Amino acid sequence: MNALFLAARALFLVFATINIKSMSWRLIGCSIVVALLAADMMVTCTGSRGIDLRPLEEYRHESDKVPAYQLPFIQRFFWLLKMIHSPRGIGWSFKAENSVIPVDPRHRTRASFIASRLRWLLSHYLLLDVATLYMRCNPALVPGASVTSQGYILQCLNVAAVFCQPYATLTCIHCASAVLAVGANLDEPQAWPQLFGHRKDAYTIRKFWGKMWHQILRHDLTLFGPHRPKRNSWDPVSAEHSSASNLYVVLQFGIWNDLSSISASKPVGVLVEDAVMEVGKRTGLKEGTWARMAGYAWVVGFTSFSLAFSLDGLSNAFRVARRPGEVVAVHTTLIEVMADRVFGVQLAPLISWWFAGV
């Protein structure tokens, strides 16, 4: 571990401690940290965490004409900057092949691609509005309340609404970025596949988190694990290095997921479904429509219960952290404005009145 990496970590803590309010200064601070980490990679050729990782030698981009370590310094800098901002590895040798859906052939031209992503942006912005309005008007989703207090059906809807917020937000950001990048001729449409997988693949817990949900953290969480690519196929991995790597992956996974109950329950769910599928195979059962329907019901049931405990814990934490008399700003959603102007209906009071009778 060298001075550049330590400086990057120290500056990150300093910027976080200062709690900068200006978005511009936040971006400047993040850029400084990223630049130091990139410089650390180039100078040491060992990665940013003191692990035997050499990105300039190990990784390739599909547009590379020569190995990255043969490039001039400034080109190596931007090569690494592009790499660390490609978490799914689109176009890179560490691409998550099984979880990235290629761009539809009908949307391979710039005009058709931009039109399709604008449609996705609008539809998912409306989905975000619906989820936001639902959560704002639902008394079970205010700090200190429990998402399980309204019965199982509404518990599933509550969990789905909470899930829809990050899903729709990330999709909107991804679509807007794709439109800008492709519209400005910075990237080809093939470089911007959908952020999330097909919902039809989410009939097991493993496939839900491994194929349908976004894979932004896949590279970071597997980079130092037992499945990380070795520089040479014959390089041995010592037991000490393997144990340290596995511990690092477990700790990093827990930190990214705040050590919540859903993070701990994912492996349990995967083990249970693997055991059930193994029993089914031995008894001669084949995968078909009914088996997948049972799988979808299993995923919904397992997720609704496991995530409910996490949400209740977060709700209690927000209640404790909120200062007495603190007022949370309420933003009017687009669908509220449209309903009011077109139909003369105030959606928020109407939805709150319905929940009051539940």
Side-chain angles (χ1 to χ4, degrees):
M1 188 178 296
N2 57 55
L4 290 174
F5 175 66
L6 292 176
R9 292 299 300 268
L11 282 176
F12 174 79
L13 294 175
V14 169
F15 292 145
T17 304
I18 294 176
N19 194 20
I20 302 172
K21 303 298 182 182
S22 170
M23 180 59 68
S24 299
W25 282 106
R26 287 184 186 179
L27 292 175
I28 292 173
C30 290
S31 300
I32 294 173
V33 172
V34 168
L36 287 172
L37 291 175
D40 169 58
M41 285 185 175
M42 290 184 289
V43 171
T44 64
C45 290
T46 58
S48 62
R49 293 178 176 86
I51 305 294
D52 186 21
L53 175 66
R54 298 172 181 171
L56 295 173
E57 298 179 10
E58 290 188 357
Y59 299 141
R60 293 289 182 272
H61 190 267
E62 59 186 14
S63 63
D64 288 349
K65 299 295 189 298
V66 297
Y69 59 83
Q70 296 180 4
L71 296 172
F73 180 86
I74 190 65
Q75 292 185 28
R76 293 204 308 270
F77 176 84
F78 284 106
W79 187 91
L80 284 167
L81 196 63
K82 185 175 183 179
M83 186 199 74
I84 62 178
H85 284 88
S86 302
R88 295 191 297 164
I90 306 300
W92 293 86
S93 56
F94 56 85
K95 175 183 176 182
E97 296 287 350
N98 297 327
S99 59
V100 177
I101 303 173
V103 176
D104 193 313
R106 297 172 299 175
H107 302 149
R108 296 276 173 93
T109 64
R110 293 188 184 278
S112 60
F113 178 84
I114 291 174
S116 68
R117 291 304 181 263
L118 287 176
R119 290 194 298 269
W120 270 68
L121 179 60
L122 176 60
S123 62
H124 284 77
Y125 182 80
L126 293 176
L127 176 62
L128 176 62
D129 260 10
V130 171
T132 301
L133 180 60
Y134 179 92
M135 294 177 63
R136 197 179 75 212
C137 299
N138 191 342
L141 294 174
V142 299
S146 173
V147 297
T148 64
S149 61
Q150 298 171 321
Y152 181 69
I153 300 299
L154 284 181
Q155 175 182 330
C156 292
L157 288 177
N158 296 341
V159 170
V162 174
F163 243 91
C164 279
Q165 276 207 320
Y167 168 78
T169 301
L170 290 173
T171 301
C172 288
I173 294 173
H174 184 265
C175 288
S177 302
V179 168
L180 291 175
V182 175
N185 202 21
L186 298 175
D187 281 322
E188 295 295 325
Q190 293 85 339
W192 289 89
Q194 295 179 16
L195 186 61
F196 292 86
H198 290 304
R199 288 182 289 274
K200 66 179 182 181
D201 291 330
Y203 55 90
T204 66
I205 302 298
R206 184 190 299 274
K207 290 182 180 293
F208 178 85
W209 292 109
K211 295 191 69 173
M212 196 286 278
W213 198 244
H214 72 77
Q215 300 301 301
I216 295 176
L217 303 180
R218 174 186 286 267
H219 182 241
D220 288 336
L221 293 176
T222 60
L223 188 58
F224 305 121
H227 301 292
R228 64 172 291 264
K230 292 184 288 186
R231 184 168 61 260
N232 298 309
S233 58
W234 55 83
D235 285 349
V237 179
S238 66
E240 180 181 358
H241 174 78
S242 179
S243 300
S245 299
N246 291 340
L247 178 60
Y248 171 83
V249 172
V250 170
L251 291 176
Q252 188 183 40
F253 182 79
I255 291 170
W256 274 108
N257 291 274
D258 294 331
L259 298 175
S260 60
S261 59
I262 188 171
S263 303
S265 63
K266 287 177 191 175
V268 176
V270 171
L271 289 174
V272 169
E273 67 187 14
D274 283 351
V276 171
M277 287 189 290
E278 183 62 28
V279 171
K281 289 179 181 178
R282 295 190 177 187
T283 56
L285 294 177
K286 296 182 179 180
E287 182 179 320
T289 303
W290 289 107
R292 290 205 173 193
M293 294 297 291
Y296 293 134
W298 153 251
V299 172
V300 170
F302 181 86
T303 306
S304 64
F305 278 109
S306 60
L307 189 58
F309 293 107
S310 269
L311 295 178
D312 285 348
L314 288 173
S315 177
N316 291 329
F318 283 133
R319 177 180 57 81
V320 173
R322 180 174 291 181
R323 299 172 183 174
E326 181 180 0
V327 178
V328 179
V330 177
H331 302 284
T332 304
T333 61
L334 178 61
I335 56 174
E336 287 181 273
V337 176
M338 293 173 59
D340 186 22
R341 294 185 178 180
V342 177
F343 303 104
V345 177
Q346 298 286 334
L347 283 180
L350 182 62
I351 297 173
S352 298
W353 169 81
W354 184 84
F355 275 120
V358 174

